[in-house]
Amino acid sequence: MADDKDGREKQAADEDRRQRERDVEAELERGDEAEPPIDPDEVDEFEAALEPLTFPATGREIVAAVGERELESSTRVYAVADLLPDADMEAFDTPATVRERVRRPAVAAAMKRVVEAAATLENEEFGRSQHEAFERTFRALSDVDELDDEGGVRAIADWVADRIAERETVPGSRDVRRQAAKYCRKHGYEVRDDEWLGV
């Protein structure tokens, strides 16, 4: 590869993609989620159903292809269309990234709500780093044992969607973390400064 600007940018993009794939693999191996995850066998079958799609694929393309498919956790059955955004604003790099998203239904439903709300705005960007920070915030909320997983995640997703509607802009990731920390404290869970939510 040539040592020029284009070559360096391609190398950086390739490294970024490889890091995301490693992060997804690490998350797949984690088994300590508080939220009841989707049954791993069902997630495997779901990932196989994604094979005919060309990746990267948008949420809208995935929902169109397999949105009616159902996934079951120990407490509930979800349609894929309930977990992935029916929007072109978010693209998934590989079937594994889709698989990782649907494994935690409360987080997936929250991200769907946020992405679809952001997609209603004209000329609004919802960049990858901001997107990843939102998802990490929802995961951190879901992991707080003292809180109802879905209640906290849903409350912050509602707050984000309301802010988008009122101000016609996506709130900053720091604001979302701050709001999540307020929610935790209000419900009796103290957030430490060294935690993700400790802004």
Side-chain angles (χ1 to χ4, degrees):
M1 182 176 307
D3 187 22
D4 58 11
K5 182 179 178 190
D6 290 338
R8 289 188 298 275
E9 286 177 356
K10 182 176 182 340
Q11 286 178 333
D14 288 346
E15 178 54 33
D16 185 47
R17 179 186 48 77
R18 285 191 296 272
Q19 182 59 49
R20 284 194 307 274
E21 288 172 0
R22 286 190 295 268
D23 292 344
V24 166
E25 277 304 311
E27 286 293 327
L28 288 172
E29 291 172 8
R30 265 183 33 154
D32 61 350
E33 294 95 352
E35 175 186 18
I38 299 294
D39 181 311
D41 291 335
E42 285 203 35
V43 177
D44 289 342
E45 290 174 22
F46 169 67
E47 189 172 354
L50 297 173
E51 290 298 323
L53 290 170
T54 302
F55 283 85
T58 66
R60 178 166 285 142
E61 291 168 333
I62 296 167
V63 168
V66 294
E68 297 301 316
R69 188 177 188 91
E70 292 184 338
L71 299 170
E72 189 172 345
S73 75
S74 60
T75 58
R76 190 170 156 200
V77 175
Y78 300 88
V80 170
D82 296 335
L83 303 176
L84 295 175
D86 189 3
D88 293 324
M89 182 173 260
E90 180 177 21
F92 295 86
D93 294 333
T94 65
T97 57
V98 180
R99 170 192 170 118
E100 178 55 28
R101 173 66 63 81
V102 301
R103 281 187 74 235
R104 296 188 66 176
V107 173
M111 288 304 297
K112 169 188 170 64
R113 178 121 193 257
V114 168
V115 170
E116 288 178 350
T120 65
L121 302 175
E122 287 186 37
N123 303 319
E124 181 70 17
E125 299 244 352
F126 187 37
R128 183 178 292 274
S129 63
Q130 187 178 21
H131 181 279
E132 289 172 356
F134 277 44
E135 187 167 357
R136 186 170 178 190
T137 299
F138 289 134
R139 285 177 182 272
L141 264 175
S142 180
D143 289 342
V144 175
D145 291 336
E146 289 81 354
L147 299 175
D148 168 24
D149 294 345
E150 293 194 23
V153 172
R154 200 170 34 247
I156 300 307
D158 289 346
W159 180 84
V160 172
D162 290 346
R163 290 285 293 257
I164 290 171
E166 290 168 12
R167 299 185 179 185
E168 297 185 357
T169 188
V170 178
S173 57
R174 192 173 198 71
D175 291 335
V176 175
R177 287 167 57 195
R178 191 173 289 118
Q179 191 66 27
K182 281 184 193 175
Y183 180 90
C184 288
R185 290 181 183 113
K186 180 179 175 185
H187 289 85
Y189 178 77
E190 191 54 41
V191 177
R192 296 186 329 258
D193 288 342
D194 63 342
E195 295 176 317
W196 172 255
L197 299 178
V199 286

